[in-house]
Amino acid sequence: FCLPIARLCFPAMPPRIRHRKVVLPSAPAPCELAAIAKPRRPVVFQPPGFKDELCAFFRGTGMDIECRYLEQILKWDDTLMEVCHDYIQWLLPTDEASKFNSDAPILDPECQRIFRDDAVIQRNLRRGAQRFMTFLGLAANLDSQNNEPPRIVKAQNFQKRMLMCWKGPENHNWKRISRALRCFGLVGMEDVQQALLTCLEEIIVEYPGMVDDKTVGHWLDEACVKSKLVHSITPGYVAALLGSPNMMTSLCKQFFEKYDSNGDGQLDVHEVTLLASELDSSLGLPSDAMDEASVSASIAAFSTDGMLSGEDFPLWFAQALKDVLKKGDKVKVEPPAEDKPADQHLEHIRPGYVAALLQSPQLLETICKSYFQRYDKNGNGELDPRAHS
């Protein structure tokens, strides 16, 4: 009841309503006691969690600390989303206290359970994530009702959004992306978490140096919150890993935890062989390219007991990635068979693959020969620019 009086006394006061406790004098006046004792409308019982402001916000029945509904925020333009800093903690809540907004909600374990189970909240969470992806210049399909896996890629306006949302140094939207990755893992949106991570990896490879290594490493850590995601290994991503200590450290930790099946803090020959097979398969090499004998020999270069500890594994892993790239250089693209289209035998050119090609003369020569043979229709050893314009 004090707030209306304060508005009259201080008209210049900004229209912000905070959840403050009203401290009354030790001996309130009779008029104040009457105001306190004034009957209020009856409180309707609701199941546990429904009274929580954050749950109500995502159900569309409540407001954030600044009296804004979710629907209002979803209709903001990109400029307002950039300059306003106290909505993102509501749109993408996490279990960590915000260092910049003391009024930010906390997604505690009980809220996490509700968010995972409540269909209305899940739908609105995905709508909020969709709007945030659009703000970043990304095109996303996050509607879980179409039974298609989420997919996030660069939108047509990505170049226009780079200066505001992506380029450094210390772009505050990098922290927002970290928050998004963590939020998705906590609320049961691991599919969206993986889709965003895949998109981020492609951007990292396509625009080297745009995002600093410390931030990239933090993204990789947040992408594994409440999930067991391990990143796909592509040629371009290998090149990025070898040039980024933070990315390498994060990925080593994830692979080590994934393949340490017995949890003893070490990888034996069998576990390392399984890991090596996954690396080979990711780059299109035969999954049995490394047997246990060759794996034992590779382990011996870094450990004397035939086991890889947490300290030994990063050194072995970096060498394994280099060896995999060398093996990829030796793989020749076979001439197209007559019963299959030629383009089925050519590597699909992705940003990550381009990065690998530029660092591998042998791989570049192989792919160039394949494309030349594909478009040299008359077999005269020359490409006519007019025929392919």
Side-chain angles (χ1 to χ4, degrees):
F1 69 93
C2 294
L3 284 175
I5 298 176
R7 296 285 182 222
L8 294 175
C9 298
F10 304 96
M13 185 176 181
R16 300 175 62 170
I17 298 177
R18 300 287 184 181
H19 298 287
R20 299 189 180 98
K21 294 183 178 179
V22 179
V23 181
L24 298 176
S26 56
C31 60
E32 293 175 328
L33 289 174
I36 296 173
K38 183 178 180 180
R40 299 180 180 181
R41 60 184 179 181
V43 177
V44 180
F45 172 77
Q46 294 176 322
F50 275 70
K51 290 183 180 180
D52 183 87
E53 293 175 336
L54 188 57
C55 293
F57 176 74
F58 275 101
R59 290 192 179 99
T61 60
M63 299 178 289
D64 69 359
I65 196 70
E66 300 294 343
C67 299
R68 300 170 299 210
Y69 286 99
L70 174 64
E71 294 297 329
Q72 293 176 287
I73 295 176
L74 296 181
K75 294 177 181 178
W76 284 2
D77 59 24
D78 291 340
T79 301
L80 184 54
M81 293 187 74
E82 169 65 19
V83 299
C84 185
H85 300 283
D86 58 3
Y87 75 92
I88 196 69
Q89 299 88 3
W90 287 81
L91 193 65
L92 299 169
T94 71
D95 58 343
E96 297 178 334
S98 171
K99 299 178 181 178
F100 310 99
N101 183 3
S102 59
D103 293 320
I106 301 296
L107 194 66
D108 60 23
E110 176 64 16
C111 278
Q112 293 175 32
R113 182 191 63 77
I114 296 173
F115 273 48
R116 286 173 175 265
D117 297 338
D118 191 296
V120 175
I121 291 180
Q122 276 289 312
R123 182 168 64 252
N124 285 328
L125 275 167
R126 289 177 180 267
R127 293 176 63 211
Q130 180 94 24
R131 180 63 189 93
F132 182 62
M133 297 301 113
T134 302
F135 165 76
L136 294 175
L138 303 177
N141 174 26
L142 307 184
D143 186 0
S144 60
Q145 297 180 351
N146 58 15
N147 296 324
E148 295 181 1
R151 186 168 180 265
I152 301 176
V153 297
K154 292 188 303 178
Q156 293 182 352
N157 67 334
F158 180 80
Q159 295 288 341
K160 296 180 180 179
R161 303 297 301 158
M162 282 180 61
L163 180 61
M164 179 178 289
C165 299
W166 295 94
K167 290 187 177 180
E170 297 295 331
N171 193 314
H172 74 106
N173 286 303
W174 295 349
K175 293 184 174 66
R176 291 178 170 182
I177 294 173
S178 298
R179 169 176 284 273
L181 288 167
R182 187 174 189 87
C183 172
F184 297 156
L186 294 173
V187 299
M189 293 168 55
E190 289 86 355
D191 54 349
V192 179
Q193 188 184 53
Q194 178 65 83
L196 177 57
L197 178 62
T198 300
C199 181
L200 292 175
E201 289 177 346
E202 293 178 356
I203 292 173
I204 292 166
V205 172
E206 187 173 0
Y207 302 94
M210 182 172 66
V211 181
D212 62 51
D213 288 349
K214 181 179 179 181
T215 298
V216 172
H218 189 58
W219 285 350
L220 300 182
D221 290 338
E222 296 291 12
C224 291
V225 172
K226 292 288 184 178
S227 63
K228 295 296 183 181
L229 300 180
V230 174
H231 314 289
S232 58
I233 300 295
T234 61
Y237 193 57
V238 170
L241 284 171
L242 295 176
S244 172
N246 286 321
M247 289 174 64
M248 177 67 76
T249 299
S250 177
L251 196 69
C252 284
K253 178 182 177 182
Q254 295 163 31
F255 268 95
F256 190 89
E257 292 177 353
K258 176 181 179 181
Y259 284 96
D260 184 17
S261 55
N262 55 12
D264 63 351
Q266 293 182 315
L267 297 184
D268 58 28
V269 174
H270 177 68
E271 292 169 335
V272 176
T273 302
L274 293 176
L275 190 157
S277 297
E278 179 177 336
L279 293 181
D280 290 339
S281 298
S282 298
L283 291 173
L285 300 175
S287 58
D288 57 350
M290 288 190 70
D291 54 19
E292 292 196 359
S294 56
V295 169
S296 297
S298 67
I299 294 176
F302 303 94
S303 174
T304 57
D305 60 358
M307 307 277 284
L308 287 177
S309 65
E311 292 75 19
D312 301 328
F313 180 73
L315 299 175
W316 177 91
F317 191 67
Q319 185 60 48
L321 291 176
K322 296 176 183 178
D323 293 341
V324 168
L325 276 185
K326 290 179 181 178
K327 287 188 288 186
D329 288 345
K330 297 177 182 179
V331 175
K332 301 297 182 181
V333 179
E334 298 296 332
E338 295 181 358
D339 59 339
K340 294 184 179 180
D343 56 359
Q344 291 186 8
H345 297 266
L346 297 176
E347 170 67 25
H348 176 61
I349 298 299
R350 303 178 303 273
Y353 198 69
V354 170
L357 289 174
L358 296 178
Q359 296 193 23
S360 173
Q362 295 179 353
L363 199 58
L364 181 60
E365 180 182 359
T366 299
I367 203 71
C368 283
K369 288 181 179 179
S370 301
Y371 270 96
F372 191 91
Q373 293 173 3
R374 174 184 178 184
Y375 288 101
D376 185 16
K377 301 292 186 180
N378 54 16
N380 65 351
E382 296 180 346
L383 294 182
D384 184 357
R386 294 171 296 179
H388 304 283
S389 59

